[in-house]
Amino acid sequence: MANNKQIVWIDMDGVLVDFGLHVENTISNNTFLRESYKGRYDHIPGIFRNPPPIEGAIEAVKKLAESGKYEMFIATAAPWGNPDASTDKRYWIEEHFGNLFHKKMVVTHRKDLLGGDYLIDDRIKNGAGEFKGELLRFGWAYETETWNEYPTWETILNKLL
């Protein structure tokens, strides 16, 4: 039996996870971390373990899953200098989604190599800009300091449902 579901890849940081807010909260009262990891806060040990979700992300992803229209996967990059980041990200996914993404998570700096219909990502970095399907630019674009075409999860749901 053929699977006619479209494939959706979902980035984590800036899409599912409010990593920027988490970093700001982590370093705001910690001079050591702020100074020691300046310019590379993603290398702070454990920084990826418990960041808050982006507003509406968890509920929206569950709605997409419940629609039955999509086969969904996580596509995230992890800093090379923080080897525990991949494990922390996996635990975050399990904590917030249970088994929804069981064995459906790819850690890569080459999102252009992923096959699928949609990639929901906030940036064009790590190959996202060369993704072969449709890139749904989500949230805040740090490169241009403007809102992307899909600023909220509600706008993603309006596109996909």
Side-chain angles (χ1 to χ4, degrees):
M1 184 172 159
N3 181 352
N4 293 326
K5 294 181 179 182
Q6 292 185 302
I7 295 174
V8 176
W9 291 94
I10 305 170
D11 178 47
M12 286 186 70
D13 304 317
V15 176
L16 292 175
V17 174
D18 197 337
F19 186 68
L21 175 66
H22 184 58
V23 166
E24 186 58 40
N25 290 341
T26 300
I27 66 169
S28 65
N29 294 316
N30 190 318
T31 305
F32 172 77
L33 291 178
R34 187 171 51 252
E35 292 176 2
S36 298
Y37 290 93
K38 186 174 185 173
R40 55 187 190 91
Y41 297 124
D42 59 352
H43 287 67
I44 296 172
I47 194 73
F48 291 97
R49 184 61 184 94
N50 292 308
I54 292 277
E55 183 178 340
I58 306 304
E59 301 80 10
V61 169
K62 288 179 180 177
K63 283 183 184 177
L64 289 173
E66 290 166 3
S67 77
K69 295 172 63 173
Y70 302 104
E71 185 76 23
M72 297 187 306
F73 299 87
I74 299 297
T76 189
W80 204 253
N82 186 350
D84 292 334
S86 297
T87 300
D88 291 340
K89 287 180 174 221
R90 180 183 150 201
Y91 284 138
W92 191 95
I93 290 296
E94 289 176 357
E95 180 180 324
H96 292 278
F97 294 107
N99 287 327
L100 180 61
F101 292 104
H102 181 73
K103 295 187 178 183
K104 295 168 72 175
M105 178 178 170
V106 173
V107 178
T108 182
H109 290 267
R110 293 290 312 271
K111 294 178 184 175
D112 56 312
L113 299 178
L114 301 173
D117 299 287
Y118 299 101
L119 169 62
I120 304 170
D121 208 319
D122 59 323
R123 305 186 308 167
I124 57 172
K125 198 172 177 182
N126 296 321
E130 291 80 41
F131 178 70
K132 306 292 185 289
E134 185 176 349
L135 173 61
L136 305 180
R137 292 287 306 275
F138 176 84
W140 181 254
Y142 293 94
E143 301 102 329
T144 60
E145 297 187 355
T146 59
W147 289 101
N148 284 316
E149 181 180 359
Y150 299 94
T152 65
W153 273 98
E154 184 180 336
T155 59
I156 292 288
L157 291 177
N158 288 342
K159 165 75 176 174
L160 295 178
L161 293 181

